[in-house]
Amino acid sequence: MSCVKEISRTEFKMRGIASLLVVALIASTECSSGKKLAPNSVSNPKSVADLEEIISTMMTKIEDLAKENTQLKLDITQLKVNDEKMKSLVENTVENRLQYLEAVTRQITPPTCETLASLGVTRTGTYLVDPDGVLRGDPPIQVLCDMKTDPVSTIVLHDAMENTEIDHCPDPGCYSRGIAYHASMKQMQALIEQSESCEQKIRYDCFSTALTTSNTDYAWWVDRHEEPQYYWAGAHAGEHVCSCGLTENCIDPTLPCNCDAEAPEWESDEGAITNGTALPITELRFGGLQFDGQKANHTLGGLICQGKAASPDNPAESCSSLRKAGHTHAGYYLISTKEGRLDVVFCRMNLEDTDVDFQLDTGGRIVEESVYFNVYRTSMWNSTGVITFEGIEVNMGDAMSSSSRLAILV
Ligand SMILES: *[C@@H]1O[C@H](CO)[C@@H](O)[C@H](O)[C@H]1NC(C)=O
Ligand SMILES: *[C@@H]1O[C@H](CO)[C@@H](O)[C@H](O)[C@H]1NC(C)=O
Ligand SMILES: *[C@@H]1O[C@H](CO)[C@@H](O)[C@H](O)[C@H]1NC(C)=O
């Protein structure tokens, strides 16, 4: 402010108030930027010429400042552009990497989380897996890979995971809850076949109501073959049993399940179905809920599979068994035949088992038992390649071709 005053004290003739304002403005700008003012540099201005000189100097300064200002604005714009570019570059990189990873995943979509873990993936989360084989069968499925369990777990989720209150109805199985999995049945079956073990946890909370009472089964679950099952733990087809019954600690020791006691308080039966041939559970059926005082809830876990199924005795018997053992690449394989031979076959792993071209016999044979032959040649043989023999004395296992009399490639 003191600077402005100084200017107004330089009593020169102004052509208009506007000029004064400009000068004052510049003065304040100059002051705030801490620079010395032009008027101070001219001591005691006397003539109009002095004043004109001051104004001219200031006008030059205004121009310079204006230029500087324009340049700064340009610089800022440029910086903004650079910033945007940088951002989009970073985003692009992330996006590109995601796309790349996705593409890679698609190429090598592992059959199970187990395979994923063996590839070094340690993060628990959802992944795409393809139990029934890449590039054939059903499309890949989304599963939860729990990498913290040992062995790691492949978990197929469904739409009935929550603790659900069962609607009142009196008759056996009158309540029905179909289970919709986040995977096709074919994929789940393939997952079960490839795993060492699978299970599905189920819990029935009950208040004054039984699963089975007076020889009537009010509740059951439906296995994947659409058969009703009355066991609520382990693998006990044809029995009605719960985990407390198996460990003999049910609230009524004479009954196989806690709920079957129909106690007027919340009780529960909880277990894991471990019969892989029955899994996954496709439907829940409950009933026996007639009175208001009776209550029940169900909770069903996901299909959890762990480990790798033991591979069949080597060598396999067919391309089909090789596939079950986890071979996914098309190529030549040795299979053992019932005749005790090893045959070289071509397995087109990209085709379905039922396809006529799935397993092609190449005609290649290896006799599994010892091979004996005694052949001879009496004339000179002077080149490499196929040796033809002139006579065959012993030919166990038919490794020698008696018609062409050639055998060994050197
Ligand atoms: C049963 O479900 C109802 C409704 O979701 C809930 O309020 C109740 O606490 C559940 N009971 C048990 C024992 O889980
Ligand atoms: C396993 O489940 C299948 C299909 O439900 C059944 O046929 C078989 O008997 C069950 N095995 C056991 C041991 O429960
Ligand atoms: C090799 O054997 C063939 C017949 O078996 C004969 O015609 C040829 O001359 C022989 N060559 C040599 C280098 O001995």
Side-chain angles (χ1 to χ4, degrees), residues 163-166 203 205-206 266-267 296-297 299:
N163 183 349
T164 308
E165 198 170 350
I166 299 169
R203 198 177 83 221
D205 294 303
C206 52
W266 279 110
E267 288 296 342
N297 289 12
T299 314

Side-chain angles (χ1 to χ4, degrees), residues 223 225 229 231 235-237 275 277-278:
D223 69 14
H225 313 284
Q229 301 295 341
Y231 60 98
H236 300 274
N275 183 352
T277 318

Side-chain angles (χ1 to χ4, degrees), residues 77-369:
T77 315
Q78 191 57 45
L79 277 176
K80 274 188 188 155
V81 169
N82 284 352
D83 192 40
E84 285 306 309
K85 266 193 198 154
M86 207 63 171
K87 264 189 207 155
S88 75
L89 206 67
V90 170
E91 270 160 22
N92 263 342
T93 321
V94 172
E95 178 61 28
N96 285 346
R97 286 181 60 186
L98 274 179
Q99 276 180 11
Y100 173 74
L101 282 178
E102 213 168 282
V104 170
T105 316
R106 248 167 233 177
Q107 289 297 307
I108 54 148
T109 308
T112 66
C113 299
E114 175 81 18
T115 322
L116 207 56
S118 71
L119 291 171
V121 177
T122 54
R123 188 185 65 94
T124 288
T126 49
Y127 292 91
L128 277 183
V129 296
D130 204 347
D132 76 352
V134 181
L135 304 177
R136 58 182 199 87
D138 288 353
I141 53 169
Q142 196 159 55
V143 295
L144 182 64
C145 291
D146 188 349
M147 301 301 196
K148 292 192 193 80
T149 58
D150 183 26
V152 302
S153 306
T154 303
I155 307 172
V156 183
L157 305 177
H158 56 75
D159 68 343
M161 308 274 300
E162 269 132 58
N163 183 349
T164 308
E165 198 170 350
I166 299 169
D167 300 334
H168 273 73
C169 68
D171 299 329
C174 52
Y175 170 93
S176 155
R177 174 67 200 248
I179 314 297
Y181 288 88
H182 300 175
S184 68
M185 186 54 78
K186 191 164 182 279
Q187 288 280 31
M188 288 190 281
Q189 226 165 297
L191 170 64
I192 292 167
E193 266 172 26
Q194 281 176 51
S195 304
E196 192 187 343
S197 68
C198 292
E199 64 166 43
Q200 207 169 355
K201 292 202 174 86
I202 186 163
R203 198 177 83 221
Y204 181 67
D205 294 303
C206 52
F207 194 105
S208 281
T209 185
L211 290 162
T212 294
T213 186
S214 333
N215 291 325
T216 305
D217 295 308
Y218 283 95
W220 61 88
W221 52 270
V222 181
D223 69 14
R224 74 159 181 251
H225 313 284
E226 291 173 30
E227 294 292 328
Q229 301 295 341
Y230 307 90
Y231 60 98
W232 303 88
H236 300 274
E239 286 176 63
H240 169 61
V241 69
C242 290
S243 62
C244 69
L246 295 169
T247 52
E248 297 181 351
N249 63 345
C250 295
I251 52 168
D252 179 342
T254 64
L255 295 172
C257 298
N258 287 325
C259 288
D260 291 354
E262 295 176 276
E265 57 188 13
W266 279 110
E267 288 296 342
S268 78
D269 282 300
E270 187 172 6
I273 310 296
T274 57
N275 183 352
T277 318
L279 294 175
I281 294 174
T282 58
E283 189 187 356
L284 297 174
R285 301 293 291 265
F286 296 104
L289 291 158
Q290 190 164 9
F291 308 107
D292 283 351
Q294 295 179 301
K295 279 176 271 186
N297 289 12
H298 64 72
T299 314
L300 180 66
L303 172 68
I304 305 176
C305 290
Q306 293 186 319
K308 206 171 185 321
S311 49
D313 290 344
N314 274 333
E317 280 155 9
S318 63
C319 290
S320 212
S321 53
L322 282 161
R323 168 174 279 168
K324 287 204 179 87
H327 294 275
T328 54
H329 296 286
Y332 293 96
Y333 291 87
L334 278 181
I335 59 169
S336 74
T337 60
K338 288 186 190 74
E339 292 77 40
R341 271 189 339 238
L342 284 178
D343 286 7
V344 183
V345 292
F346 191 79
C347 300
R348 292 223 165 97
M349 295 300 192
N350 53 327
L351 299 180
E352 295 295 324
D353 295 33
T354 47
D355 200 302
V356 283
D357 290 330
F358 174 52
Q359 175 173 320
L360 293 180
D361 189 3
T362 63
R365 305 271 179 269
I366 293 172
V367 178
E368 202 172 5
E369 304 295 320

Side-chain angles (χ1 to χ4, degrees), residues 11-30:
E11 302 148 355
F12 54 85
K13 233 194 277 171
M14 292 302 297
R15 268 165 227 141
I17 194 83
S19 322
L20 179 67
L21 276 179
V22 169
V23 174
L25 196 68
I26 299 304
S28 73
T29 314
E30 289 285 273

Side-chain angles (χ1 to χ4, degrees), residues 358-402:
F358 174 52
Q359 175 173 320
L360 293 180
D361 189 3
T362 63
R365 305 271 179 269
I366 293 172
V367 178
E368 202 172 5
E369 304 295 320
S370 307
V371 178
Y372 308 99
F373 54 83
N374 182 10
V375 290
Y376 64 88
R377 184 186 167 95
T378 48
S379 56
M380 274 282 290
W381 183 74
N382 61 4
S383 69
T384 56
V386 178
I387 309 171
T388 53
F389 297 91
E390 292 164 346
I392 298 173
E393 289 176 335
V394 180
N395 187 13
M396 293 272 298
D398 212 21
M400 291 296 301
S401 163
S402 48

